[in-house]
Amino acid sequence: MTLLKHFLLLLIVGSIAIGCSSKSSSQKENKNVVLGKLELSNGWARPASQGQNSAVYLTIANGTASDDTLLNIQSDAAQKAELHESYKDENSTVGMRPVDRQPIPESEKLLLKPGRLHIMLMNLKRDIAVGDSVSVSLEFAQVGTRTLQVPVKIQE
Amino acid sequence: MSNNCFTPTLQALFTALLLSLVILACSKPETIKDLSDASYKLLNTDSSTVDFPQDYKGNISVVSFIYTHCPDVCPVITANMKNIQSGLEDTSDIQFIEISFDPQRDTPQVLKEYKKLFQLNSQFSLLTGEPGPVDSLLSQLNIVAKKIQPDSLQQDSSQYDMIHSNKIYLMDKTGKIRAEYPASNVPPKNVIEDIQKLR
């Protein structure tokens, strides 16, 4: 009977210990508590054929109380997704280049729009046509990963 | 007294200025490049051979330059071409021509798909061709297009980007280039006004 009591006591203590440790691990994953909201809106993607490239445009509004940084992008439609910017050089030729981590200060917006910053969907896995939608996941340093569906449409 | 002296001079100046503005507004654009005797054998989306610009004489042509792997600026150019088209009340004597400066990847079939995806109607011709004639035409029209290998894609040589000119040309009915615009951001009304002058 005493042995059973000891066993039950150990079981309770063990459970409490596991519960505490799993809670702390979960807190690490969620990082810091961020007040406010980071909102993604006005998203859309250009049509393109399989194997080609497309672009995604959207507005990222950092309504949180802390600066954030866009770290990585993924999409179900493309082998790779990166933040790029179009630029014009001194000879008026135009091109594109990748943009590294993009900071978004608190209470500010990052606009991804035609001819400027955009998400480049590289080497599309399938055709994406008007009426389709594409899933895009954006990983931020503070708020974690946000995923949104954007419609495919033609610029007017 | 001094007012009396200057008034006729000022009036004359204003009149001259107004006249100049009227003449400028009504004058047709000068010839930038004469292609009337030129002949470049290119390929249409159905793989048929076209003779540029001979096959397009008799109509006014709005001509731009793109590559279909371009996800941002080139679709903006295409959108601008469509906006010029939709801004015209009468498009019966107008053609819209987009020439690829990436003939290696932009086959007639690829351009056909691009035309379909971007919902371009039959007034649009999307042209490609053998690198020789394409390069020769681009050189004649001062169109720059250079391959670049982004760092992130260096492993795969077929996955290149391009830096390129950003131009729309307006070609008259005789094959002369009469105006040039920044393709991705020219207001459509500017092109439409010049089209009206060439009609």
Side-chain angles (χ1 to χ4, degrees):
Chain A
M1 193 62 182
T2 314
L3 196 65
L4 185 64
K5 274 183 187 172
H6 282 162
F7 177 73
L8 282 175
L9 193 64
L10 272 172
L11 196 66
I12 290 165
V13 170
S15 299
I16 290 170
I18 289 166
C20 286
S21 75
S22 86
K23 190 178 173 187
S24 110
S25 156
S26 164
Q27 278 174 343
K28 273 180 195 168
E29 279 173 15
N30 288 337
K31 299 176 181 172
N32 302 323
V33 174
V34 180
L35 299 174
K37 271 176 77 177
L38 184 140
E39 289 185 341
L40 310 176
S41 60
N42 304 320
W44 62 282
R46 290 191 190 280
S49 303
Q50 183 179 1
Q52 295 266 20
N53 303 322
S54 176
V56 172
Y57 307 99
L58 74 151
T59 301
I60 304 168
N62 182 4
T64 73
S66 56
D67 297 347
D68 213 332
T69 305
L70 177 56
L71 300 174
N72 286 303
I73 306 164
Q74 286 191 316
S75 171
D76 65 341
Q79 286 198 344
K80 197 166 188 177
E82 286 182 350
L83 190 66
H84 280 219
E85 68 174 346
S86 295
Y87 66 92
K88 190 193 291 183
D89 67 16
E90 65 275 10
N91 300 316
S92 291
T93 53
V94 291
M96 270 184 321
R97 58 191 163 211
V99 175
D100 208 8
R101 298 168 166 224
Q102 182 65 39
I104 313 167
E106 63 166 289
S107 306
E108 288 197 11
K109 287 180 180 174
L110 180 67
L111 303 179
L112 309 189
K113 58 184 188 179
R116 307 277 178 85
L117 275 176
H118 56 275
I119 293 168
M120 183 161 162
L121 302 181
M122 291 179 277
N123 205 357
L124 290 174
K125 295 175 185 170
R126 55 183 165 88
D127 290 355
I128 55 170
V130 173
D132 293 343
S133 68
V134 171
S135 174
V136 184
S137 296
L138 298 95
E139 184 193 347
F140 296 93
Q142 298 299 325
V143 301
T145 300
R146 297 293 165 86
T147 300
L148 77 161
Q149 286 285 130
V150 297
V152 178
K153 61 180 195 176
I154 292 175
Q155 181 183 350
E156 290 176 359
Chain B
M1 182 66 185
S2 66
N3 276 348
N4 288 339
C5 289
F6 278 107
T7 303
T9 315
L10 276 175
Q11 275 180 346
L13 270 173
F14 274 124
T15 310
L17 187 66
L18 273 174
L19 273 173
S20 309
L21 286 173
V22 169
I23 291 166
L24 201 65
C26 296
S27 65
K28 294 185 176 184
E30 295 295 319
T31 299
I32 295 172
K33 189 75 78 176
D34 187 352
L35 297 181
S36 55
D37 293 327
S39 171
Y40 297 92
K41 298 286 189 281
L42 302 177
L43 294 171
N44 215 331
T45 48
D46 61 0
S47 298
S48 61
T49 303
V50 298
D51 187 342
F52 182 88
Q54 301 304 323
D55 289 350
Y56 296 92
K57 281 184 176 177
N59 286 316
I60 294 169
S61 299
V62 184
V63 187
S64 66
F65 306 87
I66 60 162
Y67 74 111
T68 64
H69 274 73
C70 172
D72 187 42
V73 174
C74 299
V76 172
I77 294 170
T78 297
N80 222 3
M81 296 278 279
K82 281 183 83 175
N83 288 336
I84 294 164
Q85 182 188 38
S86 60
L88 284 160
E89 282 181 19
D90 176 13
T91 60
S92 57
D93 59 344
I94 312 293
Q95 297 160 132
F96 297 87
I97 303 168
E98 296 203 285
I99 299 171
S100 170
F101 45 74
D102 185 17
Q104 183 181 333
R105 295 184 297 190
D106 285 343
T107 61
Q109 183 59 37
V110 168
L111 290 179
K112 187 178 183 179
E113 188 65 21
Y114 183 88
K115 189 174 178 179
K116 184 180 156 197
L117 284 169
F118 284 86
Q119 299 176 353
L120 307 176
N121 69 13
S122 59
Q123 280 190 310
F124 273 81
S125 294
L126 274 78
L127 305 180
T128 183
E130 293 297 322
V134 170
D135 289 347
S136 178
L137 173 61
L138 297 178
S139 170
Q140 177 72 8
L141 291 175
N142 298 322
I143 298 296
V144 178
K146 200 164 67 176
K147 292 175 187 172
I148 54 164
Q149 203 77 44
D151 288 343
S152 58
L153 296 171
Q154 250 172 1
Q155 306 295 322
D156 185 351
S157 61
S158 70
Q159 292 289 312
Y160 53 86
D161 288 334
M162 299 186 85
I163 54 170
H164 55 91
S165 300
N166 179 35
K167 289 179 185 175
I168 285 177
Y169 284 129
L170 192 57
M171 187 169 73
D172 71 14
K173 294 180 180 183
T174 68
K176 291 176 181 163
I177 303 293
R178 303 292 293 275
E180 171 188 329
Y181 315 90
S184 60
N185 55 5
V186 60
K189 68 176 180 56
N190 294 11
V191 183
I192 291 167
E193 280 171 12
D194 287 342
I195 287 172
Q196 306 297 8
K197 291 175 194 171
L198 292 181
R199 275 179 158 157

